[in-house]
Amino acid sequence: MILELDCGNSFIKWRVLAAGGSLASGVADNGEELVRALADRFSRQLSVCRLVSVRADDETRLLCAALTERFNIDCQVAVPAQVLGGVHNGYEDYQRLGLDRWLAVVGAYSLEQGACLVVDLGTAITSDFVDGGGAHLGGFICPGMPLMRSQLLTHTRRIRYDNAAAQQAGDSLVPGRSTAEAVERGCRLMLRGFVNTQLELARQQCGADVAVFLTGGDAAMAAEWVPAARVVPDLVFIGLAIACPLGGES
């Protein structure tokens, strides 16, 4: 069985692949929690690990060492590349493009084999443009819903509400009649404006038939505004498999 990891800034996404496809998946806050979760279910069944990490090199090395010690597996770590899977990295310094973002782009292009816009809606939002020939044209980064919300809660003294109020307030986009409604709906409108602008720019940069891929925690919400978009939660893992191919895949 193959263990795949996406080690982001906030948490670690994981999934285990067997011969028939994805067997299990989950999220861990840190390496110790990850090892415990895997040990409870796959103590002797994991054969290899591949991972992408945007964390510090020392933290990534410690995680790999812990996995090797506990499960006796090798860890293959994705590294920056100028060209991968037919995509040419568009950054002036290709090593500065976030690896998770890069692999999402590679994964999307592998599915489309043509022009695409990739929008990852997580803690931060990233967008990337790829033309029909696989040239990465660059992209944009802005705060996502969690960051926008937390900044208002942190820096505005009178804005206070809990998660339940936030969830209920976000169900509509009519003008808010409470602080929670005003903040949640305002942030959602900013997010919608960003997504719609990315679509306009993608059509200008890549052509009218550009494919749109959405991934990340708020992808399903954004899909309401872009009906033709493809929501692919595991886009980074698709790119990871291209960056770190493994013999046998079982």
Side-chain angles (χ1 to χ4, degrees), residues 77-92:
V77 183
V79 297
Q82 289 181 304
V83 181
L84 178 65
V87 182
H88 296 252
N89 193 313
Y91 259 31
E92 293 178 359

Side-chain angles (χ1 to χ4, degrees), residues 64-107:
C64 290
L67 291 168
T68 298
E69 179 180 2
R70 179 62 182 82
F71 301 104
N72 192 30
I73 56 174
D74 292 327
C75 295
Q76 189 171 344
V77 183
V79 297
Q82 289 181 304
V83 181
L84 178 65
V87 182
H88 296 252
N89 193 313
Y91 259 31
E92 293 178 359
D93 179 357
Y94 74 93
Q95 298 185 74
R96 299 291 295 174
L97 178 60
L99 269 173
D100 52 351
R101 184 176 159 197
W102 169 238
L103 294 184
V105 168
V106 171

Side-chain angles (χ1 to χ4, degrees), residues 17-28:
L17 301 180
S22 181
L23 181 64
S25 61
V27 175

Side-chain angles (χ1 to χ4, degrees), residues 1-2 23 41-48 71 73 250:
M1 293 182 181
I2 298 170
L23 181 64
R41 302 179 63 179
F42 307 103
S43 60
R44 298 180 180 274
Q45 298 160 292
L46 301 178
S47 58
V48 68
F71 301 104
I73 56 174
S250 62

Side-chain angles (χ1 to χ4, degrees), residues 5-14 25-38 55 63:
L5 304 177
D6 176 6
C7 305
N9 291 305
S10 301
F11 47 80
I12 301 172
K13 298 179 185 177
W14 63 268
S25 61
V27 175
D29 289 332
N30 52 58
E32 292 79 5
E33 182 180 311
L34 171 70
V35 170
R36 288 196 301 270
L38 294 172
R55 301 187 173 199
L63 175 60

